[in-house]
Amino acid sequence: MSKINVILAEDEVALGMIIQESLESRDFKVRLCSDGQKAWESYQSQKPDVLVLDVMMPKKDGFSLAAEIRKIDPHTPIIFLTSKSQTEDVVKGFGLGANDYVRKPFSMEELIVRIKAHLDKIRVRQSQSDWITLGKYEFHPTRQLLKFAKTETPLTARESQLLQMLLENANDITDRTLILNQIWGSDDFFNARSMDVFITKLRKKLQDDPAIQILNVRGYGFKLVC
């Protein structure tokens, strides 16, 4: 099995080396970059499986780097390392396309679990040529179909995108802002209202299996329970 290829951007040299050595001891392949510009150049030379980025860095900060990467790559997981705890910073990061935040100080076990969880979501997305089991339903993302028993129900493109995103985070919270930015393109009021309408439509289309629920987690997002 090939090693997981990680770009680690961290300007605190000692911390960066500790994280690198810890990951490499667990069979990861790590390219350590001391600033955002070097990380950008490393990304351009060879695309990684995952990016782990400090927020505050010289030359190019983590937010700017994530924004550049998301212009050309919507899928590679980006995890921020930050000592910042303000809600607005977390929201900004998700708005730029980040997949996760790990706040310093953190345990290596936590970081590794998060990396592997996001790579598992990528594998779900890559298997979208097949039917995916969802309770008593089957879901085909590419064909945009829901199947219950022998009945197939067509989904719109946006319904399919939304259900797939919820399914990738099944039994966990999918951030509301992240959904809006990735599917609707912005998190403004009108898009938020539109998303709520689509959530209602999905609930109706999944109502034949009472074990499946899409819960509204107020202030955070939605949770697909199945």
Side-chain angles (χ1 to χ4, degrees):
M1 185 176 177
S2 59
K3 294 183 177 182
I4 296 172
N5 192 328
V6 180
I7 288 180
L8 169 63
E10 173 57 68
D11 66 322
E12 294 182 40
V13 178
L15 177 59
M17 291 181 66
I18 290 171
I19 298 171
Q20 180 183 28
E21 290 172 2
S22 297
L23 289 174
E24 288 180 342
S25 71
R26 292 164 172 84
D27 218 28
F28 288 75
K29 181 180 179 182
V30 181
R31 285 176 277 163
L32 176 60
C33 305
S34 58
D35 61 60
Q37 182 59 38
K38 289 178 181 176
W40 173 237
E41 292 167 0
S42 181
Y43 172 86
Q44 290 178 306
S45 68
Q46 184 183 357
K47 182 180 173 182
D49 297 310
V50 62
L51 295 113
V52 179
L53 311 177
D54 188 24
V55 171
M56 302 301 293
M57 293 186 291
K59 296 185 179 179
K60 188 187 291 285
D61 63 50
F63 289 147
S64 300
L65 177 56
E68 287 293 318
I69 290 169
R70 281 295 179 251
K71 289 178 183 178
I72 57 173
D73 178 0
H75 299 306
T76 301
I78 296 175
I79 300 173
F80 279 127
L81 303 178
T82 180
S83 56
K84 292 190 170 187
S85 58
Q86 292 90 342
T87 301
E88 59 267 25
D89 291 312
V90 175
V91 171
K92 180 178 180 181
F94 281 127
L96 290 170
N99 298 87
D100 213 342
Y101 262 86
V102 180
R103 291 191 174 93
K104 302 174 184 176
F106 57 88
S107 70
M108 285 308 304
E109 287 72 20
E110 178 189 5
L111 178 59
I112 290 168
V113 165
R114 289 174 184 264
I115 289 173
K116 290 183 175 180
H118 288 291
L119 292 176
D120 285 343
K121 293 173 186 176
I122 292 290
R123 293 186 189 102
V124 169
R125 189 181 294 122
Q126 290 172 341
S127 69
Q128 65 182 9
S129 59
D130 301 322
W131 289 97
I132 299 170
T133 300
L134 174 58
K136 295 180 180 178
Y137 287 86
E138 288 183 281
F139 170 48
H140 202 300
T142 304
R143 294 172 59 192
Q144 299 174 13
L145 290 173
L146 264 182
K147 184 192 293 184
F148 185 83
K150 295 182 180 180
T151 302
E152 292 186 353
T153 302
L155 301 175
T156 67
R158 190 156 280 176
E159 285 172 341
S160 186
Q161 286 178 299
L162 180 56
L163 180 56
Q164 185 173 358
M165 197 167 181
L166 293 170
L167 184 58
E168 288 172 356
N169 294 283
N171 299 309
D172 201 356
I173 297 172
T174 304
D175 183 82
R176 185 181 182 90
T177 301
L178 185 62
I179 296 172
L180 286 167
N181 280 290
Q182 288 196 4
I183 298 179
W184 272 264
S186 74
D187 60 348
D188 65 37
F189 173 79
F190 297 103
N191 285 338
R193 293 293 297 273
S194 174
M195 178 178 65
D196 290 338
V197 170
F198 275 85
I199 289 288
T200 299
K201 289 179 179 179
L202 282 180
R203 284 173 175 150
K204 289 180 180 177
K205 290 183 177 181
L206 293 167
Q207 65 185 358
D208 288 327
D209 185 351
I212 299 175
Q213 298 182 70
I214 301 176
L215 304 179
N216 182 8
V217 184
R218 189 172 298 277
Y220 293 96
F222 299 97
K223 179 189 286 189
L224 175 64
V225 178
C226 58

